[in-house]
């Protein structure tokens, strides 16, 4: 009999929190079961295994990051929307490095896959930012990749202590925002 209060959503939420704490690479079914106070086989009533757990964590993370970006850009356009979006993205990655790591390389099985739907919402939030710039429709995918690459790169480097020199990281991030804004205006 499943533990009271334990369901797939609770298992995934606990797995995401644990991944943030110990790192996605260190997340195991055994460690999660220990955290939840159950035996490892009990988890298989709620998720199909490690791969399924990580995939569900990726869906959760994409949903959360889409909500964070979408909420942050409400009422803003242009540089203000850009700044709000990338700040929200960076904050999410810094606060949730394990669950964010689950999204990297996760491939949807089709358009109805929750991974595709939540990924589409996250991309849609960034696309909304780009509407504040005069970008040709044929260049939107390129602009989205650039925006994701810069945001992802900065946030993951910072989350992994990759900026170990004297310049203030927040000042560098603001410099990045100004740089991207100038680039998007010049396209």
């Amino acid at each position: 009999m499943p533990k009271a209060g334990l369901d797939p959503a609770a298992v995934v939420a606990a797995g995401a929190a644990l991944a943030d704490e110990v790192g996605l690479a260190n997340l195991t079914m055994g460690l999660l079961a220990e955290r939840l106070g159950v035996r490892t086989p009990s988890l298989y009533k709620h998720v199909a295994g490690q791969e399924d757990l990580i995939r569900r964590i990726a869906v959760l993370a994409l949903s959360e990051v889409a909500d964070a970006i979408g909420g942050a850009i409400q009422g803003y356009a242009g540089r203000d929307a850009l700044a709000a979006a990338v700040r929200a993205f960076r904050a999410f990655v810094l606060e949730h490095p394990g669950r964010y790591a689950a999204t990297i390389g996760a491939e949807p099985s089709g358009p109805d896959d929750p991974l595709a739907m939540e990924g589409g919402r996250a991309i849609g939030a960034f696309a909304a930012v780009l509407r504040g710039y005069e970008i040709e429709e044929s260049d939107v995918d390129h602009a989205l990749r650039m925006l994701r690459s810069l945001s992802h790169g900065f946030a993951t480097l910072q989350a992994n202590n990759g900026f170990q020199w004297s310049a203030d990281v927040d000042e560098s991030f603001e410099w990045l925002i100004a740089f991207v804004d100038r680039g998007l205006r010049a396209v």
Side-chain angles (χ1 to χ4, degrees):
M1 172 172 246
K3 182 176 179 178
L6 204 56
D7 60 20
V11 170
V12 171
L18 189 56
D20 289 339
E21 184 182 321
V22 303
L24 185 66
N26 297 316
L27 176 65
T28 65
M29 296 294 280
L31 189 58
L32 179 57
E34 182 180 314
R35 175 63 57 92
L36 290 170
V38 298
R39 296 181 57 216
T40 303
S42 299
L43 294 179
Y44 293 92
K45 295 176 181 141
H46 307 290
V47 294
Q50 181 86 11
E51 187 176 315
D52 183 41
L53 174 65
I54 291 172
R55 184 174 188 75
R56 289 174 187 235
I57 290 171
V59 171
L60 174 65
L62 288 170
S63 175
E64 291 172 341
V65 80
D67 289 345
I69 296 168
I73 65 172
Q74 289 297 312
Y76 294 109
R79 186 188 193 287
D80 293 335
L82 170 68
V86 296
R87 285 179 189 136
F89 182 86
R90 176 184 174 215
F92 181 84
V93 173
L94 293 176
E95 188 174 335
H96 302 294
R99 69 185 72 189
Y100 177 70
T103 69
I104 308 306
E107 293 188 36
S109 60
D112 294 335
D113 185 333
L115 194 60
M117 293 188 305
E118 294 304 329
R121 284 193 335 108
I123 291 169
F126 275 127
V129 169
L130 295 177
R131 285 194 286 277
Y133 295 91
E134 294 179 20
I135 298 173
E136 296 289 328
E137 186 63 33
S138 61
D139 290 333
V140 169
D141 282 348
H142 304 303
L144 283 168
R145 286 182 180 135
M146 179 271 309
L147 192 54
R148 167 97 195 280
S149 297
L150 290 173
S151 300
H152 164 83
F154 195 101
T156 55
L157 280 168
Q158 185 179 1
N160 289 291
N161 200 26
F163 299 125
Q164 298 181 14
W165 51 90
S166 62
D168 181 81
V169 175
D170 292 330
E171 286 180 31
S172 296
F173 193 70
E174 293 305 312
W175 195 91
L176 179 134
I177 292 168
F179 180 82
V180 171
D181 177 61
R182 285 190 306 270
L184 289 172
R185 288 184 192 288
V187 171

